[in-house]
Amino acid sequence: MAPDGPPSATGRAVSCTDLVKVFDASGDPVQAVGPLDATFAAGHTTALVGPSGCGKSSLLRMIAGLERPSAGTIRIGAETPRDLTRRAALAMAFQDAALLPWRSVRSNVALGLSLARQPPDAARIERLIGLVGLAGFNDRRPAELSGGMRQRAAIARCLVSAPELLLLDEPFGAVDELTRRRLNRDLPALWQGTTAILVTHSVVEAAMLADRVLVLSPRPATIMAEIDIPLPRPRDEDDAALRDRIAAIAAALRDSGPDRVLAAQ
Amino acid sequence: MTAPATRRVARPAVPVVRVGPLAWRVLGVVGLLLAWEALARLNAGSYVLAGPVAVAIHGVEHAGLLGRALRATLVNAAWGFLWGNLAAIGLAAVILLVPRLERLLVALALLVFCLPLVATGPILRVAYGPGDGPQIVLAALAVYYTTLLALLVGLRAVPRSWLDLVESYGRGAGAQLLHVRAMAALPYLAAGLQIAAPAAILGAMVGEFTGAERGLGVLTIRATRALDVDATWTIALLAAGMAMAAYWAFGALLRRVASDPPALLLAPPGPALRRGRRRGAAGAAVMILVALALWQGGMDALGLNSYFAKRPGDVLTFLVTGPEAASHRATLLAAYAETLAYTLPGYLAGLALGAGLACAITLAPGLAAVAMPVAVALRSVPIVTTAPLLVLALGRGSVGTITIVAVMIFFPTLVACLQGLRQAPGDVIDIFASYATGRWRTLVLARVPAMLPAFFAAARMGVPAAILAVTTAEWLATGRGIGSLMALTASTSDYNMLWSAITLVALTAALAHTLVARIERAVLRVYGPEQLAR
Ligand SMILES: Nc1ncnc2c1ncn2[C@@H]1O[C@H](COP(=O)(O)OP(=O)(O)OP(=O)(O)O)[C@@H](O)[C@H]1O
Ligand SMILES: [Mg+2]
């Protein structure tokens, strides 16, 4: 664990059993997920990759308790997602960062504490902003930040409440390639020890960040392949062993169905 | 609706126009004044137009009187503005926390907004006795509905992820309101207040028309009765000037809270009727029953004297089951028909002229930059306050009334359509340009469809405005139609007829509003589906 990382919570294992999600708003049901079985090991980072529209966000939102499963169960430790949110023990980073534009960076990070009903802790907020590399931008508004800086602020907001489960939905979707590389290298240390589930379109990102990659089928999402990445961190994108894993993920994705994945640079 | 979409729809309403050097502006104003004065002198004997010199002289000679009246009107308008907007904020909060109530509450709010002010005024006068109560209530009634709509749009114009963020910490609707929606709605509230500011002045003045001791409305009535052209012009200009000043003041406030102010006329219609005709009809029936129950229950609860506060049963007896019901109906319907004959042509003409001029302006680029600020400024003038001028100019016949209605509809429609025409996405226009499509075809194929949502929003909001305009004109000046019937019955204490007229007018307005909203929704389904999504 990084010596000056955030005090890490005890990670929780997540297990999904026979999980199904069917959207039926307009009388024309769409099955987005499942039936899907998966476990996410405690304290590990797992990446979900799959073709666009296959149901990754739906899966993540169910685990976050934002969406109810149509069938099947989700257990986080022994609890349901709702139990976890009620304790404010999980945090989610959204694709669009979801920073409130009228709040400064500091105040947006502080929101992570106040929404979790934790007492304000200026020193901790300051430290996390520093850890994501935004020191000196405490008083800036989101509009004054670049896309990557916004994502980092959002991640600081997630981490400030020391969640037991971290859910990241394409957190670096809006980031340029260079910044993304730097984030991929630096950020994982911040949530080491926490269970993290990461949705991404980038095969490279999955390999850089995750301990294990789950390749999903086209909609409805089911698990097509599992690829372990037992490599030490920090990782190097040009490392041969990592390249090998990247190739394996890309191959699994190609086999999984129509190849509409954007990545595999 | 997601905020990015809204933000895109909500491009700034007014292009920043650099008016040339000061000298040009001064020259323009002087030229205008000279033309006005010349016109007035040419028409000297006709009792229509007072020139700037006459207005100035009248203003100076009666400065004390005008000042006191202006003060009284502004104070009443301010109180009404405060209460009306507080009511709107309260209603919006209730709707947000209990979404099930939305259709019912918004429909009831619309129904109350459709009550003809010129009839509610005298009834309030009886209930309150002398004093400022009626003016304040009418000012509040004139503002709360638009503010409510603005707030409802604003409270929802929030990206899904901001709400999910709050929910993912296990927090509910209250925390979403506190942390996210309240702040996100501020620009919309400010935009709503901007529209409400002149409306409050209008409401207060209508309240003064119907029997107050002090205020610009009282002076207006006196001047109109005495055919005092100088006074009529001075008062109307003063009222219009105040309304414009209020509009600009709140515009400045708006620009402080929002760098990209939302265009409120583009507010989409309320939530769609439930699927299925039968459920829609059932919903309407429930609504009518609730309205009737509130009418009866409210009056009973307040212990209002049934001499002037007629209940639904009284109206039913008067119009249907009573001995002379047939003749009452005949009187009411004759006046109603007369009013409709003024309102409909005026309403349609206002819409057509507004949309037509907007298109014409777009065909002649460059003109828009000039026309837009003028239109925005004139939109803020409550036309009713200038109704006496139009009556002076056009006479008490049908032309005058139809013109008043048309003008009342014209400016908001023009502004909305100009905003709408600019919504046509730049890249679509570029595609047309790349095929060397002519201006006309581009207008028809790309711009007009983009304008439709704004046009229909204006048409919808124009319904209560048209009713207000026509009843006020009839009340003040023409002596015909249902407005005049209301004036007559109010002065002869024929409260059964007055309440019957109120019911008929409010129902008509609410139905017309619903009809336009229906057409609007059908059109939006094709041309602007993102406006209907929630
Ligand atoms: N609220 C909803 N109502 C109806 N259908 C939905 C809803 N949310 C998602 N869907 C449908 O479920 C399917 C999966 O959507 P989801 O957002 O989970 O995909 P995704 O894998 O995250 O895609 P992307 O990679 O493009 O973000 C899609 O077909 C989508 O249309
Ligand atoms: Mg997604």
Side-chain angles (χ1 to χ4, degrees), chain B residues 400-452:
Chain B
T401 316
I402 292 174
T403 308
I404 290 174
V405 176
V407 171
M408 184 89 175
I409 306 299
F410 170 75
F411 285 110
T413 308
L414 175 62
V415 173
C417 288
L418 284 176
Q419 286 170 359
L421 283 169
R422 268 202 258 122
Q423 307 294 315
D427 42 0
V428 172
I429 303 290
D430 288 347
I431 291 174
F432 277 83
S434 71
Y435 286 106
T437 315
R439 261 187 215 159
W440 266 105
R441 284 179 61 86
T442 309
L443 180 74
V444 170
L445 295 177
R447 289 195 194 268
V448 168
M451 177 190 87
L452 284 177

Side-chain angles (χ1 to χ4, degrees), chain B residues 43 84 93 131 336 419:
Chain B
N43 287 294
Y336 180 66
Q419 286 170 359

